[in-house]
């Protein structure tokens, strides 16, 4: 009894070490069973916290995407929703029908023009505005930043209504100003020659602010030491921009090109509000064609059109990554 009691008393020379080794080892290294239990609790907590997002993602994102793909391979019409057993698998017939439809081909051509013309104009205008704000216009920089970025945060519907009012052939401000110089302005949105260019111009103006902000951030992140070294070597302003600043802007250029290009391929709001795709389908886009088909109950054709647009978006994004990626 005497020996057992001395081993448990603290401060006794020969019995102190054995009594403290056990608690130190247990505090430094937890048993495997305890670690596994704690990890399991953390895993369950993570799944519980992520469950609402996963449920919403599955219900409103993944399931509609898969369901739309299945409908694009069938002959699903609005009348078949009550009798789904009448739906039959048709393979790629809907895709073949799409490219045999002159209206869809016309809509694809309008979308291509919108992207091919509008995207370079937007990037060039945004870069020019960023360079002007970074180097040329210093006194009213904040005012110009807000002025350029204001259209980005304004509703596209409000912008479209304002532009439609300005371009009114009888009482619009544009034709009124042209009339002061003796010019008879056209019916902009009712003329097949001007309707699509007007929408491209409006899209460039609206997206200019986003591109400008990203480019401006890229320009201001260029190391000043590189610019000073180039200046000491005798490089002019254009040579410093093209040889030093522009290569370092490649990531910003890639980001804006991809995001703006995807937005332009989904060109919808402007023609929907301003022209409903007219006149004579001159402003009809691929997304608006899909929307119209869906509204007419042709769910199979609308789904197929949506997947054609998806493939075009992937192809354009891959092309931009190949052209603009940083090879260094």
């Amino acid at each position: 009894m005497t020996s057992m009691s001395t081993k448990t008393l603290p401060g006794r020379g020969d019995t102190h070490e054995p009594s403290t080794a056990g608690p130190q080892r247990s505090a430094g290294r937890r048993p495997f069973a305890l670690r596994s239990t704690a990890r399991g609790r953390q895993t369950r907590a993570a799944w519980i916290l992520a469950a609402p997002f996963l449920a919403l993602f599955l219900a409103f994102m993944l399931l509609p995407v898969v369901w739309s793909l299945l409908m694009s391979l069938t002959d699903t019409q609005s009348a078949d929703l009550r009798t789904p057993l009448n739906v039959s698998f048709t393979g790629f017939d809907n895709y073949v029908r799409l490219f045999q439809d002159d209206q869809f081909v016309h809509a694809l051509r309008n979308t291509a023009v919108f992207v091919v013309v509008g995207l370079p104009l937007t990037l060039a205008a945004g870069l020019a505005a960023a360079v002007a704000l970074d180097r040329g216009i210093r006194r009213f920089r904040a005012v110009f930043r807000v002025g350029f970025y204001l259209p980005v945060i304004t509703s596209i519907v409000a912008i479209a209504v304002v532009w439609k009012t300005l371009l009114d052939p009888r009482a619009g401000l544009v034709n009124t100003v042209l009339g002061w110089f003796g010019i008879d302005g056209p019916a902009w949105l009712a003329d097949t020659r001007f309707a699509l260019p007007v929408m491209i111009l409006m899209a460039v103006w609206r997206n200019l602010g986003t591109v400008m902000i990203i480019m401006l951030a890229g320009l201001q992140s260029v190391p000043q030491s590189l610019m000073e070294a180039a200046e000491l070597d005798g490089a002019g302003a254009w040579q410093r921009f093209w040889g030093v600043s522009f290569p370092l802007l490649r990531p910003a250029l890639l980001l804006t090109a991809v995001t703006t290009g995807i937005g332009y391929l989904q060109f919808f709001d402007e023609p929907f509000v301003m022209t409903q795709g007219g006149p004579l389908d001159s402003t009809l886009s691929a997304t608006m064609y899909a929307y119209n088909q869906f509204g007419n109950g042709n769910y199979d054709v609308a789904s197929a059109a949506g997947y054609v647009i998806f493939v075009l978006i992937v192809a354009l994004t891959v092309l931009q990554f190949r052209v603009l990626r940083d090879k260094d």
Side-chain angles (χ1 to χ4, degrees), residues 154-163 273:
T154 305
S155 168
I156 180 61
V157 176
I159 291 176
V161 171
V162 170
W163 274 67
V273 175

Side-chain angles (χ1 to χ4, degrees), residues 32-179:
F32 177 75
L34 291 178
R35 293 203 307 271
S36 301
T37 304
R39 190 178 299 116
R41 285 198 299 268
Q42 293 176 354
T43 303
R44 285 194 295 273
W47 278 108
I48 291 173
L49 292 174
F53 166 75
L54 292 176
L56 293 175
F57 175 78
L58 290 174
F60 296 105
M61 293 293 292
L62 186 60
L63 181 60
V65 169
V66 175
W67 191 253
S68 176
L69 176 62
L70 294 176
M71 283 199 299
S72 72
L73 303 174
T74 63
D75 58 353
T76 306
Q77 303 292 310
S78 58
D80 298 324
L81 294 181
R82 296 181 178 177
T83 56
L85 294 178
N86 293 334
V87 175
S88 58
F89 180 76
T90 59
F92 292 97
D93 288 354
N94 292 322
Y95 295 91
V96 175
R97 286 172 54 194
L98 272 180
F99 288 97
Q100 291 176 344
D101 186 351
D102 292 338
Q103 190 180 37
F104 180 70
V105 174
H106 195 75
L108 274 184
R109 186 166 59 246
N110 291 339
T111 304
V113 172
F114 195 86
V115 174
V116 172
V117 177
L119 181 57
L121 283 178
T122 305
L123 297 180
L127 180 59
V131 171
L133 286 176
D134 185 56
R135 299 182 180 180
I137 305 173
R138 296 182 179 275
R139 189 172 182 180
F140 302 102
R141 181 180 297 176
V143 176
F144 279 97
R145 283 179 181 175
V146 173
F148 280 125
Y149 199 72
L150 195 59
V152 178
I153 59 177
T154 305
S155 168
I156 180 61
V157 176
I159 291 176
V161 171
V162 170
W163 274 67
K164 190 175 181 179
T165 304
L166 293 174
L167 297 172
D168 186 272
R170 296 181 179 177
L173 179 62
V174 175
N175 280 1
T176 300
V177 173
L178 291 177

Side-chain angles (χ1 to χ4, degrees), residues 127 131 135 227 235-247:
L127 180 59
V131 171
R135 299 182 180 180
M227 303 298 290
W238 172 252
Q239 291 173 320
R240 291 198 302 274
F241 170 76
W242 190 251
V244 179
S245 300
F246 189 77

